Amino acid sequence: MEKNIQAIRGMHDVLPSQTRHWQYLEACVREVLGRYGYQEVRMPIVEFTELFKRSIGEVTDIVEKEMYTFEDRNGDRLTLRPEGTAGCVRAVLEHGLLHNQTQRLWYQGPMFRHERPQKGRYRQFQQIGVETFGMAGPDIDAELIFITARLWKALGIDGLELQLNSLGTAEERAAYRQELVAYFGCHHDALDEDSRRRLHSNPLRILDTKNPDMAELVAGAPVLADLLGEGSRRHFEQLQTLLKAAGVRFVFNPRLVRGLDYYSLTVFEWVTDRLGAQGTVCAGGRYDSLVAQLGGRSTPAVGFAMGVERLIALLEADGRLPETARADIYLVQRGEAARREALVLAERVRDALPQLRVLAHCGNGAFKAQFKRADHSGARIALVLGEDELARGEIGIKHLRNKLPQEAVAVDCLVGRLAEIFDKS
RNA sequence: GUGGGUAUAGCUCAGUCGGUAGAGCCCCGGAUUGUGAUUCCGGUCGUCGUGGGUUCGAGUCCCAUUACCCACCCCA
């Protein structure tokens, strides 16, 4: 038997009842970022596989088993982007946007990771990313965090916790990594299966284990903060001072590690406990070595990304989202001549009153049913054009949301009368 | 990749011990001619996820499979 075609696992349609929510969120983001002077960039969804391998890191889960990679018709290895930073860096390098200048950029779009879907985690998911280039100080780190805090406020999201950590420079982190591997290597027998694997892939992750049997071992592990050099330490302290000065609350989380290889110094996450296991709603950090790593002149950079589905889930849980837009006017008609006239009339109303949403009934349908639809559309008034009205050169205005009696106005006066009605609200 | 749960109408869900498939919502029609949301009456809608098996008989029991959900892993 033939199977119905359905959406790819982990990839979802956004239906009309939800698009309104997305648009609201996007408008909010656009507005806030605009106020900080950030500019939107749009990159391709597909890049050379090599780009992601070189930026995200060969031994990360993303590169090893989560990428949608395929061969192009001419034999190129291509990958559906699993995150946005790599492509953004590639784009600014390719177009010389880092030549003697700083950049504050943002983008939005789908990312793809072949993971097992669950709440808040999908194979195609939407991210809004923000990246800045050419600024090395903690002030730009703080600015990014201010942006996020302002965004939560604008959206009405509260209850998020900001977690903060410093990973040090690439050298410091490498040194720390070695110490960790040495330490856990000595206690190899005490490691659980996951941690043994992490020992090679991402030893910093071991610190974040959820296994209580490992708690003691982890507690005795060397601490990254002890290995930070003077520069890293000052950067981190200054950032904290800036956050405090601006009244942005945060929690120092020494176990906060990012999964991608390119991070250094500042890393942060906004988390919630209301979304199940996928509690990170926004995360980012500094990646001062990535630009050089991808062939550019060494350029400091810092950025973050938000998971749009997760933010929407939060907003929906709080009932913070606007209703789907309703119609303002529904035009019902009856009779052949009226049907033709109705469409023309609707056009005229749209010409004169562009802010109104005008639905004209199309096709057949009992008069009664048309009113039913008018009601259902949410329209405040129904315009009635039947044989009688047509003969008299009039149009009926029926108020659907209050007790006002139905009016009849000359067709020429309709626009003026409608303007009056909708002006009052 | 690993584990657990679920699958019945467009939606939300009942369905007893194995005995002919149900409700609410939605949609459509009607309640004196051309007027909605309330009320009343009537109506449409199902490969009971899919494929096998047990049985006189399976939505129900068994096996397999697929999809979805949740968690692990990982991450936004």
Side-chain angles (χ1 to χ4, degrees):
Chain A
M1 178 163 324
E2 216 162 324
K3 249 178 76 178
N4 286 335
I5 295 178
Q6 43 186 303
I8 308 292
R9 161 178 253 189
M11 306 198 181
H12 297 292
D13 302 304
V14 178
L15 299 177
S17 59
Q18 283 214 305
T19 40
R20 177 85 170 152
H21 301 169
W22 284 70
Q23 288 164 351
Y24 168 74
L25 177 79
E26 287 160 6
C28 218
V29 168
R30 191 177 297 272
E31 202 255 342
V32 168
L33 285 167
R35 290 172 61 192
Y36 282 83
Y38 284 62
Q39 295 180 299
E40 184 179 2
V41 282
R42 301 189 180 194
M43 292 90 66
I45 285 171
V46 185
E47 301 272 2
F48 285 112
T49 303
E50 185 63 19
L51 174 67
F52 301 116
K53 284 190 175 172
R54 274 167 55 183
S55 54
I56 296 169
E58 290 268 7
V59 292
T60 55
D61 273 27
I62 292 180
V63 169
E64 274 185 342
K65 48 191 190 192
E66 293 176 1
M67 295 206 299
Y68 281 90
T69 296
F70 59 96
E71 195 167 289
D72 195 4
R73 283 179 190 274
N74 54 17
D76 292 331
R77 299 291 290 173
L78 306 183
T79 295
L80 261 43
R81 64 181 183 195
E83 56 99 49
T85 302
C88 186
V89 171
R90 194 228 81 228
V92 295
L93 279 179
E94 188 167 335
H95 297 99
L97 298 190
L98 300 184
H99 198 74
N100 288 335
Q101 54 193 321
T102 60
Q103 291 291 346
R104 288 175 163 88
L105 303 172
W106 72 277
Y107 53 82
Q108 173 217 41
M111 308 294 163
F112 302 84
R113 292 183 199 169
H114 191 103
E115 304 180 87
R116 188 83 168 246
Q118 71 184 77
K119 189 184 179 76
R121 196 178 73 183
Y122 311 102
R123 289 186 172 178
Q124 175 177 335
F125 59 102
Q126 201 82 7
Q127 275 190 351
I128 296 171
V130 178
E131 317 283 357
T132 70
F133 299 95
M135 293 164 279
D139 45 1
I140 185 67
D141 300 11
E143 176 175 297
L144 289 177
I145 291 174
F146 294 161
I147 288 175
T148 54
R150 184 181 297 277
L151 189 59
W152 312 149
K153 204 170 172 189
L155 288 167
I157 296 177
D158 40 36
L160 293 183
E161 182 181 271
L162 173 62
Q163 299 190 350
L164 211 58
N165 192 20
S166 176
L167 299 179
T169 63
E171 295 75 33
E172 288 158 5
R173 191 156 70 128
Y176 178 60
R177 186 187 162 113
Q178 274 190 347
E179 277 207 27
L180 265 190
V181 171
Y183 171 80
F184 285 118
C186 287
H187 300 83
H188 198 267
D189 294 343
L191 294 176
D192 60 19
E193 194 184 331
D194 282 334
S195 296
R196 282 180 198 168
R197 186 170 42 75
R198 289 174 183 135
L199 198 53
H200 306 291
S201 59
N202 192 352
L204 278 67
R205 258 294 161 214
I206 301 177
L207 301 172
D208 210 16
T209 180
K210 289 174 186 167
N211 185 349
D213 296 341
M214 301 262 304
E216 201 180 326
L217 188 64
V218 165
V223 179
L224 174 58
D226 296 342
L227 287 169
L228 292 186
E230 181 58 25
S232 298
R233 201 167 305 184
R234 270 192 54 206
H235 186 105
F236 196 38
E237 277 165 11
Q238 285 172 354
L239 171 60
Q240 296 180 47
T241 304
L242 286 167
L243 293 178
K244 282 174 188 156
V248 177
R249 298 174 60 179
F250 61 89
V251 181
F252 171 57
N253 178 0
R255 292 178 183 173
L256 180 60
V257 195
R258 314 299 346 289
L260 289 57
D261 270 3
Y262 51 62
Y263 285 107
S264 56
L265 291 174
T266 309
V267 291
F268 67 92
E269 271 188 20
W270 287 94
V271 299
T272 174
D273 55 9
R274 291 186 293 158
L275 289 181
Q278 261 59 45
T280 303
V281 131
C282 169
R286 188 162 272 285
Y287 49 97
D288 288 341
S289 52
L290 181 59
V291 173
Q293 201 176 310
L294 290 179
R297 271 172 57 181
S298 179
T299 305
V302 53
F304 66 84
M306 298 176 269
V308 178
E309 286 87 353
R310 293 181 186 178
L311 286 172
I312 297 226
L314 267 186
L315 288 166
E316 279 171 353
D318 289 352
R320 293 255 179 207
L321 290 161
E323 299 274 304
T324 301
R326 323 295 317 268
D328 296 305
I329 295 173
Y330 195 99
L331 201 160
V332 304
Q333 33 75 5
R334 188 184 150 94
E336 274 304 317
R339 185 185 298 183
R340 280 195 305 274
E341 205 51 46
L343 281 184
V344 175
L345 191 69
E347 282 301 301
R348 212 181 304 163
V349 172
R350 294 183 187 111
D351 284 342
L353 302 167
Q355 75 280 14
L356 294 184
R357 306 168 65 96
V358 182
L359 267 179
H361 185 87
C362 284
N364 296 316
F367 212 48
K368 189 186 184 77
Q370 291 190 40
F371 278 98
K372 218 168 185 172
R373 295 223 186 140
D375 180 50
H376 200 77
S377 74
R380 201 154 112 216
I381 64 168
L383 292 182
V384 188
L385 186 61
E387 294 97 337
D388 299 353
E389 286 82 1
L390 202 59
R392 288 196 296 264
E394 290 179 346
I395 183 123
I397 299 179
K398 182 181 171 78
H399 299 266
L400 297 170
R401 307 298 160 202
N402 54 40
K403 295 259 162 50
L404 294 176
Q406 183 165 331
E407 339 173 0
V409 299
V411 170
D412 290 342
C413 304
L414 176 63
V415 164
R417 180 62 188 129
L418 288 177
E420 249 175 55
I421 292 172
F422 284 95
D423 220 33
K424 279 187 221 145
S425 55

